[in-house]
Amino acid sequence: MAMLFKPLVYTQEQVQWLETRGMVYQLLMDFLSRPPRMSLIAQWRRKVEQNPKAAVSQGGQRLKAYLESIPEEDFRSVCHQEAREFERLFTGREAVIPSCESLFRSRLEGSSALACSAEVRKVYMENAVVFNKLNGERDDHIALELEFMAVLAEGMLAKANLQQSCLALADAQIHFLETHLLKWAQPFAKEVLKATNSLLFTGLAEMMDEFLVNDLQQLRAWRESQSPAMG
């Protein structure tokens, strides 16, 4: 029997879905990679305002409302306050929450989880993704894992005319969510919610908690719809 692949044509709704999920991964990555600067907060305040679909979840709505509510006269001080909170939560030996998968999961699963850093590095290599690590981040840092998903989401749009490449990208994202991100991002988000009163970081944590599960469901459904027919 021959395998007949249906033509890969994105509907307008699917294009919007791909653009939106890439934007959400990028937003989460930007705010969890380094202390947020004024320019970053201002940039995302504009982007979320222009693309309301990026904030459809409860956490996304909370984050959008917070970004829009910052008074202009307090903008500088609020940004400095959020940057200090980032450092308290995630930076240095005194960090409240480990922001790397191997370190976070080793607390829950034991020392065997430390090997997941090498597994993550292998996944990046298999998908030809190389990061420009400005601050020496570990491969399994939450921000790099989110950026990996953003890169592959963008690839699905860029390679719309290459069916096999898009299917492979979808498979890689499903696998990465199942074996890595969803193994720890939700517990990570819940710890953030317990550890901070920051409306920025509680919004981000809620958004990530809700978004990743939904994104996996949508990816699986899309992948299923593209399965080859037997002929």
Side-chain angles (χ1 to χ4, degrees):
M1 286 190 176
M3 302 291 282
L4 302 177
F5 285 93
K6 295 179 288 185
L8 184 57
V9 178
Y10 290 137
T11 64
Q12 186 174 357
E13 184 179 358
Q14 287 173 331
V15 169
Q16 197 168 52
W17 164 62
L18 287 168
E19 290 175 342
T20 299
R21 64 184 295 266
M23 175 182 289
V24 174
Y25 276 115
Q26 188 68 42
L27 183 153
L28 293 169
M29 184 279 292
D30 278 349
F31 281 107
L32 292 173
S33 61
R34 59 192 181 280
R37 297 178 178 175
M38 291 175 61
S39 58
L40 181 66
I41 292 179
Q43 170 193 336
W44 277 108
R45 185 157 66 166
R46 289 193 302 272
K47 282 191 178 183
V48 172
E49 185 179 332
Q50 293 165 2
N51 298 274
K53 282 189 174 291
V56 292
S57 66
Q58 182 177 327
Q61 288 294 326
R62 190 187 300 273
L63 181 64
K64 180 176 183 288
Y66 170 63
L67 293 176
E68 291 174 347
S69 72
I70 303 173
E72 293 304 319
E73 62 271 19
D74 298 334
F75 193 67
R76 181 182 295 275
S77 63
V78 168
C79 293
H80 286 316
Q81 180 180 322
E82 298 294 5
R84 287 195 299 270
E85 184 63 356
F86 176 95
E87 291 171 348
R88 184 185 76 84
L89 290 170
F90 309 122
T91 305
R93 293 182 180 179
E94 301 298 318
V96 176
I97 304 168
S99 52
C100 295
E101 180 184 355
S102 54
L103 299 178
F104 190 95
R105 287 179 63 186
S106 66
R107 297 190 318 176
L108 304 175
E109 304 168 25
S111 59
S112 61
L114 292 171
C116 70
S117 181
E119 295 170 11
V120 168
R121 190 179 309 116
K122 183 181 177 184
V123 173
Y124 296 164
M125 291 175 64
E126 288 172 347
N127 289 275
V129 175
V130 179
F131 296 110
N132 182 18
K133 301 176 188 175
L134 299 177
N135 300 306
E137 298 90 344
R138 294 168 62 118
D139 288 304
D140 61 339
H141 191 282
I142 186 71
L144 285 190
E145 293 196 3
L146 291 164
E147 186 173 4
F148 174 72
M149 292 294 295
V151 169
L152 267 57
E154 185 179 307
M156 286 180 68
L157 269 177
K159 298 178 179 179
N161 60 331
L162 301 172
Q163 184 191 39
Q164 289 301 93
S165 293
C166 284
L167 296 179
L169 287 169
D171 288 340
Q173 290 170 87
I174 290 168
H175 176 74
F176 194 70
L177 281 166
E178 292 175 337
T179 59
H180 289 287
L181 258 176
L182 279 172
K183 293 283 189 181
W184 75 293
Q186 287 183 298
F188 174 88
K190 286 176 170 56
E191 286 204 19
V192 173
L193 289 171
K194 291 179 184 176
T196 185
N197 293 319
S198 159
L199 294 177
L200 174 64
F201 291 107
T202 55
L204 288 165
E206 284 187 0
M207 188 178 195
M208 182 162 64
D209 185 28
E210 297 160 344
F211 169 73
L212 293 179
V213 173
N214 185 57
D215 191 52
L216 178 58
Q217 291 173 346
Q218 288 186 293
L219 270 174
R220 283 174 174 162
W222 181 85
R223 183 62 180 84
E224 184 70 22
S225 73
Q226 302 298 326
S227 294
M230 301 294 290

